[in-house]
Amino acid sequence: MDKLAIQGGIALSGEVTISGAKNAALPILCAALLSAEPLKFSNLPHLNDISTLLRLLGQMGVGVTLEGSDGLVLDGGGLNNPLAPYDLVKTMRASILVLGPLLARCGEARVSLPGGCAIGARPVDQHIKGLQAMGAEITVEQGYIHAKANRLQGARICTDMVTVTGTENLMMAACLAEGETVIENAAREPEVVDLANCLVSMGARISGAGTDVIRIQGVERLHGAEHAIMPDRIETGTYLCAAAATGGEVRLLRTSAAYLDSVVDKLMDAGCDIRLERDAINLKAPPRLKSVSLRTAPYPAFPTDMQAQFMAINCVAEGVATIRETIFENRFMHASELQRLGADIQIEGNNAVVRGVARLEGATVMATDLRASASLVIAGLAAQGETIIDRIYHLDRGYERIEEKLARLGAQVRRVH
Ligand code: UD1
């Protein structure tokens, strides 16, 4: 298993290019299941989660052709096997995103239940409830969701909580349903809007994406289209935090702060000087950061996917920060690993109190999930001495060539096989 060895204590400095968004690419690639015509994508990130999804789509009969460094053509003309087996689904919960499109296009789907995962139970009941409201017959047997419907019918759906992939699954299914579907309490995340834009360019009739009520008028079929994946706002935020924690100065290219207001605001509260351009972000950190308290919540509030990285920067900031996690019930696993580096963190339920310390010391730590891993990288970069991060396969799921990008910013990072 690969490890990352970081020599900390070096201020990051320089330019780095941000990749396409993982959480936009995953649902958008699933949209290829909705059409018999080819879809052409650009700005696709090179990530293990994307490779897993392409393997899954390939097994279903979708043609997969890589084009250039970040392009891809998916051809759903050959779709013949609406099955998502356990061995692929278990490694990536987002595989559930094939359920809605398969059911809408093929009239049936068999998708393995994603099961538990490190950051909480994460059920898919809202996906199932929404599809049932659209007329699907759904049974769960032997760990598989079996869904059937002659043609889905438009419906009014109000999800019990804001769910990102739930909204995306139902929006995709509704594109080919008969009549109008209204999704209330919809997720407003920018990735939902990117998916809606792709679907609209395929001929879907969608309004309200980006608000909490999305209306979809079903159509008979969707056609081919071209779509560029939006920049990854979480990768962007992670590099901003890495620069902030090390007292660095960086310029991030091919990205935008348009969807990062809550994160940029917090970094400014921490004392960073941030200058925004249309597709670049410049950050200059102060010699010592100030603590910033936060509470995670659905977009446009502070993203849960940035919580761990902000815990890392608070570890070395001046003052005391309170972090409240409201989306997932078990998303503080990074805290005990950060403590191994000398951090002062107290956890009580979904609240963490972080008292900044003057310095962290390098140690061996273990990555437990994707964003937790990112927080350990940030802390390792800020710590004195060497930090070894074990189990970095989590990082490879969501950060493209992380050691190469960090090295470009002057970090001393190497992958140990
Ligand atoms: C997506 C993101 C993930 C992010 C999360 C919250 C992708 C591929 N992943 O995950 O990076 O951390 O949004 O912003 O886009 N829930 C239910 N029943 C359901 C669905 C969700 O109880 O049917 C609960 C979940 O357990 C969780 C909350 O709702 O507590 C939000 O989850 P959700 O928005 O669905 O997360 P994902 O879409 O899986």
Side-chain angles (χ1 to χ4, degrees):
M1 243 182 274
D2 285 6
K3 298 176 186 183
L4 215 56
I6 301 177
Q7 278 299 331
I10 300 169
L12 297 191
S13 143
E15 292 187 348
V16 77
T17 303
I18 296 302
S19 304
K22 169 178 89 74
N23 285 355
L26 292 171
I28 287 172
L29 297 185
C30 293
L33 293 166
L34 288 166
S35 172
E37 294 179 19
L39 282 138
K40 199 171 170 169
F41 303 106
S42 57
N43 203 30
L44 195 71
H46 294 263
L47 298 170
N48 285 353
D49 271 10
I50 301 293
S51 317
T52 304
L53 182 62
L54 292 179
R55 251 198 334 275
L56 185 59
L57 296 176
Q59 280 191 10
M60 293 174 181
V62 173
V64 179
T65 314
L66 298 175
E67 276 197 346
S69 63
D70 65 4
L72 173 75
V73 176
L74 290 184
D75 186 347
L79 174 62
N80 57 12
N81 181 25
L83 167 72
Y86 175 69
D87 59 335
L88 287 176
V89 173
K90 73 172 183 213
T91 64
M92 188 182 61
R93 180 187 149 83
S95 315
I96 190 69
L97 284 164
V98 301
L99 178 63
L102 282 178
L103 181 60
R105 171 115 177 272
C106 306
E108 64 170 320
R110 265 168 53 97
V111 177
S112 172
L113 278 171
C117 101
I119 64 173
R122 300 180 88 179
V124 290
D125 55 310
Q126 301 300 309
H127 303 237
I128 293 176
K129 195 180 101 177
L131 292 171
Q132 282 171 329
M134 295 168 79
E137 274 177 41
I138 299 187
T139 53
V140 179
E141 281 165 28
Q142 294 170 333
Y144 276 79
I145 304 169
H146 297 247
K148 275 192 168 179
N150 281 337
R151 185 170 179 198
L152 291 172
Q153 302 295 313
R156 202 175 188 91
I157 301 163
C158 183
T159 55
D160 292 351
M161 77 289 293
V162 177
T163 153
V164 178
T165 49
T167 301
E168 292 165 343
N169 227 343
L170 298 175
M171 183 166 73
M172 287 193 277
C175 288
L176 293 181
E178 191 171 2
E180 184 183 65
T181 299
V182 181
I183 306 173
E184 291 175 2
N185 201 22
R188 293 180 281 167
E189 267 65 4
E191 293 77 13
V192 174
V193 179
D194 205 27
L195 170 65
N197 290 341
C198 177
L199 292 167
V200 166
S201 63
M202 294 166 70
R205 294 173 60 200
I206 301 174
S207 63
T211 74
D212 60 0
V213 181
I214 303 180
R215 287 172 193 277
I216 305 113
Q217 303 286 341
V219 296
E220 290 281 332
R221 62 183 56 80
L222 295 177
H223 50 71
E226 289 189 16
H227 185 81
I229 309 290
M230 66 177 284
D232 197 312
R233 64 192 168 103
I234 306 301
E235 188 196 23
T236 304
T238 302
Y239 282 101
L240 291 176
C241 284
T246 58
E249 181 167 4
V250 296
R251 177 172 164 79
L252 307 185
L253 307 172
R254 276 178 73 176
T255 186
S256 153
Y259 311 114
L260 264 178
D261 281 350
S262 56
V263 168
V264 166
D265 284 355
K266 290 286 173 201
L267 286 168
M268 293 205 290
D269 289 349
C272 295
D273 179 12
I274 298 187
R275 211 161 36 79
L276 306 177
E277 294 170 41
R278 213 171 63 96
D279 49 14
I281 303 178
N282 305 278
L283 176 143
K284 186 172 187 309
R288 177 122 194 241
L289 295 168
K290 290 188 288 244
S291 288
V292 278
S293 292
L294 58 96
R295 175 181 175 274
T296 66
Y299 189 85
F302 192 91
T304 174
D305 284 353
M306 284 301 302
Q307 178 258 105
Q309 298 89 319
F310 268 74
M311 186 179 283
I313 68 171
N314 275 313
C315 289
V316 290
E318 192 172 357
V320 181
T322 310
I323 297 181
R324 175 132 200 254
E325 171 61 52
T326 76
I327 308 281
F328 293 111
E329 72 265 31
N330 186 19
R331 209 176 193 180
F332 282 147
M333 272 110 50
H334 39 283
S336 53
E337 298 302 302
L338 291 168
Q339 281 163 344
R340 294 172 60 78
L341 301 174
D344 180 349
I345 305 167
Q346 267 175 300
I347 305 284
E348 248 179 62
N350 280 345
N351 291 309
V353 177
V354 186
R355 291 185 171 76
V357 295
R359 57 187 263 167
L360 296 175
E361 302 279 351
T364 298
V365 290
M366 198 168 70
T368 48
D369 70 59
L370 174 54
R371 307 305 169 184
S373 317
S375 77
L376 298 177
V377 172
I378 293 168
L381 290 167
Q384 298 300 317
E386 186 174 68
T387 295
I388 308 276
I389 305 178
D390 202 352
R391 301 205 179 164
I392 56 160
Y393 56 85
H394 292 292
L395 272 176
D396 294 330
R397 288 187 41 219
Y399 290 92
E400 180 172 320
R401 295 179 284 111
I402 187 163
E403 69 273 30
E404 220 178 292
K405 289 193 185 189
L406 286 171
R408 207 164 292 161
L409 296 174
Q412 283 196 15
V413 184
R414 71 198 156 81
R415 186 178 284 256
V416 186
H417 294 292

